[in-house]
Amino acid sequence: MLVPRITTLLNRFLNTKQLKQIHGLILIHGVNHLESLVIRHLITSPSDYSQTIAHYIQLILSHSKQPDVLSTTSAIRYFCNNGGFQQAFNQYVQLQRSGFLPSTFTVASVLKACGRLGDENGGIMVHGQVYSYGFCGDVYVETALVGFYTKLGDMMNAKKVFDEMSDRNVVSWNSMIDGYLRSGDLSMAERVFSGMPEKDVVSWNSMVSGYSRTGDMEKALRLFREMPERNRSSWNAMISGYVECGKIDLARNFYNSMPERNTISCITMIGGYSKCGDVESACELFLEMAQPFLKRRIAYNAVIITSEKCKNQR
């Protein structure tokens, strides 16, 4: 009866302390195959990702007497999706040592981790395994390879993988654009952008930002006006570009026209005003940004004062 009871408990919402208590029961009674349910609970928990949880998952996997490929691969994707890139790579190495065959999604995740870590040797090792596992031709793996090489700034190998792809998705195209822009090759980024069969808002934003960073606001504005869809990043790229060019009035026009501003928009404008010595406008925007917080603080203070008065009257 113990296994069904533990399984039922693990399907409920549990905090970390309760989960560790149940894990203790699993170890004491030797029902180690249920550890995979503990990992699944941790991975699917609505609570925020933390190093404590990541470390706990690693401990379970490294000490498990009955490791399984599903738990390990799920953990790798979980680490990678939450910024735990070193944990993802370490777990992938452990997966190799256990003799398990990774899935295409696992390989794609670990390539992303290597790119973010700047781990050239690790990524090249995984690239070699792509051939031995027969994953060549998988769009997710090849897209991850393009992303890995562009993150390293190795556009020669990125282009080689990209050119050999039989099926390209928008992510692979965007990775190439981003890679060329970060390496300073605006003309190649333009060629890739022009050749895209289908562009998304990320593609457009990348090129607008690329023109803005080089100070070519005429091309940035032309592209901005052609965009079929815009988001806050689109507007912020234009604001930032005009600020860097010293055209603060044009930046302010875009700021005022934004359908929805965010903190980045405001901070960019404050920095622009500060740079050109317009302290008054900078302070005005700062107060405008801080006003919602100040209003909330005043409201909280009013509630506290009212509560204190009520206590004193009793």
Side-chain angles (χ1 to χ4, degrees):
M1 291 296 292
L2 182 63
V3 171
R5 287 176 63 187
I6 291 177
T7 304
T8 302
L9 285 171
L10 287 171
N11 285 323
R12 298 177 182 175
F13 176 77
L14 303 168
N15 59 39
T16 306
K17 184 179 179 181
Q18 292 170 327
L19 197 61
K20 285 182 177 180
Q21 289 173 341
I22 293 172
H23 188 208
L25 285 173
I26 290 171
L27 296 176
I28 290 169
H29 293 280
V31 284
N32 301 75
H33 65 283
L34 295 180
E35 284 188 307
S36 60
L37 295 179
V38 176
I39 293 172
R40 187 183 69 182
H41 192 286
L42 287 165
I43 289 173
T44 58
S45 173
S47 58
D48 292 335
Y49 177 87
S50 69
Q51 285 299 318
T52 303
I53 293 175
H55 182 63
Y56 187 38
I57 293 172
Q58 283 187 298
L59 282 176
I60 297 173
L61 289 170
S62 61
H63 291 91
S64 178
K65 294 180 180 178
Q66 295 180 324
D68 67 286
V69 67
L70 181 60
S71 297
T72 307
T73 54
S74 297
I76 290 169
R77 293 183 67 186
Y78 173 74
F79 292 143
C80 198
N81 290 337
N82 288 281
F85 301 117
Q86 190 61 60
Q87 290 100 324
F89 183 76
N90 292 344
Q91 210 55 63
Y92 181 80
V93 172
Q94 187 61 40
L95 180 74
Q96 300 285 299
R97 289 173 180 167
S98 301
F100 290 125
L101 179 69
S103 67
T104 53
F105 293 109
T106 307
V107 170
S109 292
V110 80
L111 282 168
K112 176 184 175 181
C114 289
R116 293 298 180 88
L117 292 169
D119 187 350
E120 183 176 5
N121 291 333
I124 290 173
M125 175 197 74
V126 178
H127 190 175
Q129 292 172 344
V130 167
Y131 294 98
S132 61
Y133 291 142
F135 291 160
C136 298
D138 182 89
V139 65
Y140 295 105
V141 172
E142 290 181 325
T143 299
L145 279 168
V146 171
F148 164 68
Y149 284 116
T150 56
K151 283 289 186 295
L152 292 182
D154 185 351
M155 294 310 298
M156 185 178 72
N157 276 314
K159 187 177 185 302
K160 185 179 178 182
V161 175
F162 182 79
D163 289 343
E164 291 174 356
M165 290 178 71
S166 57
D167 182 20
R168 299 169 185 151
N169 57 20
V170 70
V171 178
S172 58
W173 287 90
N174 286 340
S175 292
M176 292 298 293
I177 292 172
D178 181 63
Y180 281 125
L181 287 174
R182 287 195 292 112
S183 63
D185 195 340
L186 186 57
S187 61
M188 280 300 296
E190 287 175 326
R191 286 178 62 182
V192 175
F193 180 76
S194 298
M196 285 186 76
E198 186 177 346
K199 304 174 179 70
D200 64 3
V201 69
V202 176
S203 325
W204 289 89
N205 283 347
S206 295
M207 290 307 302
V208 170
S209 296
Y211 288 129
S212 297
R213 284 196 296 269
T214 58
D216 192 344
M217 294 310 297
E218 186 178 336
K219 284 187 177 179
L221 180 59
R222 176 176 57 78
L223 213 59
F224 180 83
R225 286 173 173 167
E226 291 176 7
M227 289 180 73
E229 178 191 355
R230 300 174 188 138
N231 58 19
R232 283 183 293 192
S233 296
S234 321
W235 290 86
N236 286 337
M238 293 300 296
I239 292 169
S240 177
Y242 280 124
V243 164
E244 291 302 314
C245 290
K247 298 178 180 179
I248 194 70
D249 291 337
L250 290 174
R252 184 59 187 262
N253 288 341
F254 268 87
Y255 179 81
N256 291 339
S257 301
M258 281 186 78
E260 187 181 357
R261 302 180 192 120
N262 60 3
T263 307
I264 294 172
S265 328
C266 197
I267 289 173
T268 304
M269 283 303 307
I270 290 170
Y273 279 126
S274 301
K275 188 185 293 186
C276 67
D278 190 347
V279 179
E280 185 178 341
S281 296
C283 289
E284 178 190 330
L285 275 182
F286 175 77
L287 291 172
E288 183 183 306
M289 181 177 71
Q291 195 173 18
F293 169 74
L294 293 172
K295 283 181 178 178
R296 286 196 300 270
R297 187 171 180 180
I298 290 168
Y300 289 143
N301 288 342
V303 171
I304 292 168
I305 292 169
T306 303
S307 300
E308 289 299 324
K309 284 181 178 179
C310 290
K311 286 180 182 178
N312 293 332
Q313 287 174 1
R314 288 174 183 171

